[in-house]
Amino acid sequence: MSGDDPLAPAAEGPALHEERLLRRYQALMGAVPQSVWVMSPGGEVTLLAGGGIAQKLWHPDAGTSWMDAVHPKDRDWFQRAWRGATRQRSPLDTIVRVRLEGALDRFRHIKIVAAPVVEGDGEVEWVGTATDAEEHWRSRMREKLLARMAAVPAAHDLSEAFLTTAAAVVPELADAVAIFRVRDGVQAVGGPSGASGAALPERVGLAPGLPALPPLDAGFLLGPVARRAIEGQEARLLVFPPGGPTGQGLSDVSVRWLREAGATGVALLPVVVDGRTVALATIATCRGNPPPDEADLSLLRDVFQQMSGPLRRTMELQSIRGTTLALQQSFLAPPPSVEGLAIAALYHPADSAAEVGGDWYDAVRLSADALALSIGDIAGHDLDAATAMGRVNSMLRGLAYDSGPAASPADTLRRLDRIVQALDSPSMVTVVHAILHRREHGGWHMALSNAGHPPPLLIPADAPARFLHGLTAPDPPLCVADCLSRSTLHAILRKGDILVCYTDGLVETPDSDITDNLRGLRERSDALARRGLPLPSLIHGLLPPLHHRRDDIAVIALEAEPDG
């Protein structure tokens, strides 16, 4: 029966048997999508079997090496990986982009598996396989990028959302990403030959080593090709000749930067939300890296399409913010003009749409020689808080005017507390309410009541600043209990003295101590007062740095009988 075995050597000689086994091995290798290669100790690569992807790849000529075929972005890390495997004589298993035959800027992802074979003299020969991994890599990359985008929440402003998206694709898919908000659609400027779209420049992502983008003002005009992408809501792919773009419908500013960056191509992707183009993403490859191809464009389109959800939510937040700010501003009337007093006020909204709405200030003349002053904060930071603020502010103004100059601020706040709890049951309210009377021999007498609010700051003309609070803690806020007794504090404003009332956004910041912040406010006020600044400049100087402003801030200040 052994004579029936087709592999038995008894039926043929050893040489014929080995030749037959080799043909079978070659036939098997030709039937699978892998190519088997061998690299000699001298670095010469020979294709052993299996056409597969290897026949489509670039082959080195004299004086070149296989490393020249590796994508420029992959070359450094692939060289390190190869050298490490050679030094340790360990297998290598990785995916790398390799240039295709006959194309300078077309590459394919190839899975390289290589194993060392140590010869008797100690030299190392490598045997490996090459497998087309393009679809596998793109599928994995798509999943990776879409997962990043799915985790992006609605941002408080569009810049934040755009920056997150740019960071998702640089430097893996592109070298530079700039995103432009489309303003009121696309506005034609200058006639058919020079029409372009008005856009607002947004955040960008740049790979290391690229030149900074030139400063762009709010009226930056995109070129005609960008306009067509926006109007048609279709992605466009531009591939540049050596030396960079020669125009191709791009703006002059864009052409100059692309040439300086050594750009090889640009993809233009309109970002569409609810059928409206809200932004244009421009994605560039630079410094000799191959331009994006149609497959890259498809992947980028999928990634940027994922922006529509977060952008929709962001735009909704911005709409709420705009409504809230408009409502807020409608209740913040300019302070009245009062002889013998300089009055200045400001309102600074928080950077976040979720942090706008509860703060207010007010000043109303009760007579020629009397003024009611108030500042307060409604718990909450949304449209409901802004609405409640408007009601409380209006009621306090009405009560103060009805009660007249002789009223006690504590009694007025007690009446306000009872009315608000009966009518609205809002969240907790903190407020300072004061009445100032002109003194016969100059200056002003002030009576104030504090319902749980940060203490007003008095900056005397001839002494260090100090906070105004009584012998005990401030009275409780409004809307925390019924029939609370409230106290009144008295002070004198002499010529040149300044009173500053503010909301907690001025002194409360995350990860900081309120006592330290109050001390810092007092020290800043002393330093600014010594400089003799006008009152509006002084209160602006009290604002914390922009990156510390997490809450909205209201400030109103008085200076008694200022010079001039």
Side-chain angles (χ1 to χ4, degrees):
M1 297 296 292
S2 62
D4 295 332
D5 186 353
L7 297 179
E12 55 191 21
L16 184 59
H17 177 66
E18 289 183 6
E19 182 180 349
R20 178 176 293 179
L21 288 177
L22 180 59
R23 287 199 304 271
R24 290 173 176 173
Y25 174 72
Q26 290 175 331
L28 176 62
M29 291 285 68
V32 298
Q34 291 180 329
S35 299
V36 181
W37 51 268
V38 61
M39 177 182 287
S40 70
E44 182 180 349
V45 178
T46 303
L47 183 64
L48 288 184
I53 187 62
Q55 291 185 343
K56 301 178 183 179
L57 300 181
W58 176 82
H59 291 69
D61 300 321
T64 60
S65 72
W66 274 104
M67 200 59 69
D68 295 328
V70 175
H71 193 289
K73 284 191 174 184
D74 293 350
R75 199 167 293 157
D76 286 344
W77 70 259
F78 185 67
Q79 281 183 326
R80 290 194 300 271
W82 183 261
R83 289 168 183 165
T86 301
R87 184 173 57 254
Q88 300 173 15
R89 298 187 176 185
S90 59
L92 178 69
D93 186 343
T94 190
I95 293 178
V96 64
R97 284 171 287 186
V98 180
R99 186 188 304 164
L100 297 177
E101 181 68 30
L104 294 177
D105 55 11
R106 292 189 60 206
F107 290 78
R108 194 115 181 135
H109 285 87
I110 306 298
K111 181 177 178 62
I112 302 291
V113 178
V117 179
V118 182
E119 301 292 338
D121 57 4
E123 290 190 320
V124 178
E125 182 180 70
W126 290 85
V127 176
T129 61
T131 310
D132 189 353
E134 184 68 23
E135 293 305 319
H136 172 75
W137 181 87
R138 290 193 179 276
S139 177
R140 292 281 301 276
M141 179 57 68
R142 178 178 281 103
E143 292 174 0
K144 177 181 176 181
L145 294 177
L146 294 185
R148 289 182 187 175
M149 295 303 299
V152 175
H156 294 313
D157 59 69
L158 292 178
S159 297
E160 184 179 344
F162 292 149
L163 180 61
T164 302
T165 306
V169 299
V170 174
E172 290 178 286
L173 289 183
D175 297 301
V177 174
I179 302 178
F180 300 88
R181 290 176 57 189
V182 176
R183 184 177 60 190
D184 300 326
V186 177
Q187 302 170 355
V189 179
S193 62
S196 52
L200 297 172
E202 284 291 348
R203 301 282 188 93
V204 298
L206 292 177
L210 290 180
L213 286 178
L216 303 175
D217 59 30
F220 172 72
L221 298 178
L222 297 170
V225 68
R227 171 182 180 164
R228 290 193 291 271
I230 293 170
E231 290 182 332
Q233 296 186 347
E234 293 183 359
R236 291 181 175 266
L237 186 62
L238 304 178
V239 177
F240 304 140
T246 56
Q248 296 178 275
L250 299 170
S251 69
D252 292 340
V253 174
S254 299
V255 169
R256 285 194 296 271
W257 184 88
L258 290 168
R259 287 178 179 171
E260 184 182 358
T264 56
V266 163
L268 302 174
L269 293 173
V271 180
V272 180
V273 175
D274 295 334
R276 180 168 65 93
T277 303
V278 299
L280 180 73
T282 60
I283 302 100
T285 50
C286 306
R287 295 287 165 86
N289 290 315
D293 57 20
E294 290 297 333
D296 294 326
L297 192 62
S298 175
L299 181 53
L300 288 167
R301 188 185 294 111
D302 289 346
V303 171
F304 278 88
Q305 183 60 34
Q306 291 296 308
M307 288 183 66
S308 60
L311 282 182
R312 182 182 295 107
R313 295 191 294 273
T314 295
M315 293 167 68
E316 290 171 354
L317 285 174
Q318 287 197 326
S319 176
I320 294 172
R321 176 185 174 87
T323 302
T324 303
L325 285 174
L327 180 62
Q328 184 108 11
Q329 295 294 336
S330 71
F331 290 110
L332 299 178
S337 176
V338 178
E339 183 180 354
L341 278 178
I343 309 177
L346 65 81
Y347 174 75
H348 186 281
D351 294 332
S352 144
E355 296 293 332
V356 175
D359 294 15
W360 88 89
Y361 61 78
D362 193 24
V364 56
R365 292 182 60 175
L366 303 179
S367 69
D369 298 319
L371 176 79
L373 177 76
S374 61
I375 191 163
D377 188 5
I378 304 286
H381 299 92
D382 51 25
L383 188 58
D384 289 341
T387 304
M389 175 274 292
R391 290 197 299 267
V392 173
N393 180 23
S394 297
M395 283 189 283
L396 178 55
R397 172 182 271 245
L399 287 172
Y401 195 82
D402 180 67
S403 299
S408 160
D411 290 341
T412 301
L413 288 187
R414 190 161 47 245
R415 292 177 62 194
L416 176 67
D417 194 6
R418 187 168 61 251
I419 294 172
V420 170
Q421 291 192 58
L423 297 181
D424 296 286
S425 298
S427 301
M428 183 177 66
V429 181
T430 69
V431 60
V432 168
H433 178 58
I435 295 180
L436 288 88
H437 294 89
R438 192 190 310 274
R439 301 175 73 206
E440 182 178 354
H441 301 294
W444 295 77
H445 172 270
M446 178 175 61
L448 70 85
S449 185
N450 187 342
H453 201 76
L457 179 67
L458 177 64
I459 311 173
D462 55 359
R466 69 179 188 273
F467 291 105
L468 296 179
H469 42 62
L471 300 178
T472 61
D475 296 336
L478 308 185
C479 304
V480 297
D482 295 331
C483 302
L484 286 173
S485 62
R486 298 193 175 275
S487 58
T488 296
L489 176 69
H490 298 270
I492 300 296
L493 289 181
R494 296 178 173 83
K495 181 178 179 179
D497 290 354
I498 297 173
L499 176 73
V500 180
C501 299
Y502 53 92
T503 55
D504 56 6
L506 189 65
V507 291
E508 290 186 1
T509 55
D511 304 321
S512 63
D513 183 78
I514 182 64
T515 302
D516 293 339
N517 293 344
L518 287 170
R519 181 172 59 250
L521 175 63
R522 188 177 64 238
E523 292 171 353
R524 289 199 307 276
S525 67
D526 276 334
L528 292 170
R530 285 195 297 271
R531 293 169 54 187
L533 295 176
L535 195 59
S537 299
L538 186 145
I539 62 175
H540 276 90
L542 295 177
L543 294 175
L546 280 172
H547 60 278
H548 285 162
R549 301 179 196 175
R550 303 295 181 85
D551 198 354
D552 46 349
I553 299 172
V555 180
I556 187 167
L558 311 174
E559 183 176 3
E561 302 183 55
D563 294 333

